[in-house]
Amino acid sequence: MALVRSALALFVTAALAAPLYAQGPAATPPMGWNSWNHFRDKVDDKTIRATADAMVSSGMRDAGYVYVNIDDTWEGERDAQGNIQANSKFPDMKALADYVHSKGLKLGIYSSPGAKTCAKYEGSLNHEEQDARTYAAWGIDYLKYDLCGLREQMKASPSPEAAHKIMVDAYIKMRDALKASGRPIVYSLCQYGNDAVWEWGTEVGGNLWRTTGDISDKYASMSAIGFSQAGLARFAGPGHWNDPDMLEVGNGGMNTEEYRTHMSLWAILAAPLLAGNDLATMTPETVALLTNRGVIAIDQDKAGRQGDRVWAEGPVEVWIRPLADGSKAVGIFNRHPGPLSPTVDLAKLGLSGKKARDVWEAKEITLASTYKERIPGHGVVLLRVAK
Ligand code: GLA
């Protein structure tokens, strides 16, 4: 009996500790778009509607993109009761949400736990519950909560431990406020990877958390961020993801090989795929990069296991992500600016003799015991290797 009781206790404890979010929002890494990388403070109601339209007409929605996220600079003044209002760029947030929803998409918004956001607009400090209620009433589906202004309080605190507590408490406060709002809202933590957020992001309710500083539309920035994610795989899973920042695909600062590297690496990392370009004016080539079904299938794989680096030889790195059907996503990356034909020991990696699909080239191949093909500078060969 005692044994049964303790087994039951164990079961109950395990059930309580089990992540409730696994079935909820962000069971796979969120896919969508965010205004910041391309539009900065130039985002407005018209931009968001045009983006929603383009997400549908370009085929992105059908490829899995769903969130249309407004980043910083939408915030206006609070009214006499302290309710946050949008500024003149967004005349009617509820109507905008209705419009985005009518397209089968979801709307995201941005705030800070501080008094001010990074762009010095109104933050949520001391208005957390009220703001969460407002978001829910507008029909918001996703909140990016950006530390920024709260760093003032943290700096003024007596110790690093006290500063850490201020931050953690602030994230918990908004987690609880979102929950109390009654609307499922994806909770995206943004504090640039400080204090090893991957170790506690889940506990404070994060569905995803930025692991790095801001990306920019250059290979140096994208690759430094992407390849620095080695070792973080064990912290990610359904409902709680590492976020190496939004995509720069289509913004013009990288070539096609580099954007393929960007997409491939993010997919292997089980990273959120939040496009950051102007969807209304993008080229067919950009659409092809963003909507490659093979890449998206890797990113959205149901098992939700993030990939990791398994082999490196100077600028050549092999990253592997295990997939739900027993196959593996394998990225052979060349970080050198010029082409290389490295000798990758596939036998050692357990891959020789396997059937594989070259995802970008859309070709079926059989792997030999070594891989010696030419890989373009800053490029990648992305394979889906059968089990
Ligand atoms: C920070 C974030 C960015 C963006 C800006 C907006 O820099 O990391 O992603 O949200 O703030 O001000």
Side-chain angles (χ1 to χ4, degrees):
M1 190 61 196
L3 205 72
V4 171
R5 244 203 323 269
S6 62
L8 194 71
L10 247 174
F11 175 77
V12 170
T13 318
L16 285 177
L20 297 168
Y21 39 67
Q23 307 296 324
T28 58
M31 289 179 67
W33 173 92
N34 174 293
S35 58
W36 187 253
N37 284 355
H38 185 85
F39 290 95
R40 305 275 152 163
D41 64 337
K42 302 288 184 291
V43 62
D44 59 9
D45 180 279
K46 218 172 122 225
T47 315
I48 297 301
R49 286 171 192 256
T51 300
D53 293 349
M55 201 176 267
V56 176
S57 62
S58 65
M60 281 178 71
R61 181 188 65 183
D62 292 343
Y65 291 85
V66 59
Y67 293 98
V68 179
N69 292 348
I70 308 167
D71 206 280
D72 204 354
T73 79
W74 65 268
E75 309 88 339
E77 310 274 296
R78 291 185 182 278
D79 69 12
Q81 285 74 47
N83 296 308
I84 187 75
Q85 304 171 98
N87 60 38
S88 60
K89 295 191 295 171
F90 291 91
D92 186 341
M93 209 51 109
K94 170 92 175 69
L96 181 58
D98 289 346
Y99 183 79
V100 170
H101 292 154
S102 77
K103 302 265 160 183
L105 301 169
K106 294 175 188 266
L107 186 65
I109 213 162
Y110 166 103
S111 189
S112 171
K116 294 284 172 212
T117 66
C118 291
K120 304 278 179 282
Y121 286 71
E122 188 72 18
S124 291
L125 185 67
N126 300 326
H127 292 276
E128 294 82 0
E129 290 216 359
Q130 200 173 16
D131 286 358
R133 274 199 304 274
T134 301
Y135 303 152
W138 284 341
I140 297 293
D141 307 290
Y142 184 117
L143 173 68
K144 172 172 168 184
Y145 208 42
D146 189 348
L147 186 67
C148 254
L150 197 72
R151 286 185 291 195
E152 306 293 313
Q153 276 91 323
M154 291 169 67
K155 268 185 217 140
S157 75
S159 68
E161 292 73 25
H164 178 73
K165 188 167 179 338
I166 290 172
M167 174 170 58
V168 164
D169 288 350
Y171 278 110
I172 289 175
K173 202 171 215 175
M174 184 51 93
R175 172 197 71 189
D176 294 345
L178 291 175
K179 198 163 170 226
S181 80
R183 189 176 171 86
I185 297 179
V186 171
Y187 190 27
S188 157
L189 317 184
C190 176
Q191 46 80 280
Y192 340 111
N194 291 335
D195 294 11
V197 61
W198 42 87
E199 292 178 0
W200 49 270
T202 305
E203 279 163 50
V204 302
N207 293 117
L208 61 158
W209 46 81
R210 279 272 298 278
T211 53
T212 74
D214 290 10
I215 197 168
S216 67
D217 186 20
K218 295 188 183 73
Y219 179 78
S221 164
M222 180 277 290
S223 62
I225 285 178
F227 292 111
S228 75
Q229 304 299 288
L232 294 185
R234 67 181 186 278
F235 301 103
H240 55 114
W241 309 103
N242 290 307
D243 172 11
D245 210 359
M246 304 163 297
L247 299 172
E248 290 284 7
V249 175
N251 279 332
M254 292 183 241
N255 64 34
T256 303
E257 301 301 340
E258 294 170 333
Y259 283 141
R260 283 184 173 185
T261 292
H262 193 2
M263 291 297 295
S264 306
L265 188 50
W266 264 235
I268 287 177
L269 293 171
L273 296 180
L274 296 172
N277 59 318
D278 182 0
L279 303 192
T281 61
M282 66 185 160
T283 62
E285 193 191 11
T286 296
V287 176
L289 283 162
L290 288 170
T291 59
N292 183 294
R293 294 299 199 275
V295 178
I296 290 174
I298 293 169
D299 182 76
Q300 295 291 299
D301 185 73
K302 281 199 179 52
R305 293 172 66 189
Q306 180 173 329
D308 218 332
R309 178 164 48 209
V310 295
W311 186 87
E313 180 182 301
V316 181
E317 299 189 9
V318 178
W319 288 62
I320 295 189
R321 176 172 177 185
L323 303 172
D325 64 1
S327 62
K328 286 176 182 159
V330 178
I332 309 175
F333 295 92
N334 173 15
R335 299 179 67 177
H336 186 69
L340 289 176
S341 306
T343 306
V344 181
D345 189 343
L346 295 179
K348 211 170 184 173
L349 297 173
L351 302 173
S352 65
K354 306 260 186 200
K355 299 229 174 303
R357 181 172 177 81
D358 182 324
V359 176
W360 290 110
E361 298 305 320
K363 278 194 324 219
E364 308 302 326
I365 56 173
T366 302
L367 298 176
S369 57
T370 54
Y371 190 90
K372 289 195 211 184
E373 304 295 313
R374 179 179 180 277
I375 308 173
H378 292 171
V380 62
V381 175
L382 181 65
L383 304 171
R384 187 177 177 121
V385 181
K387 66 173 171 185

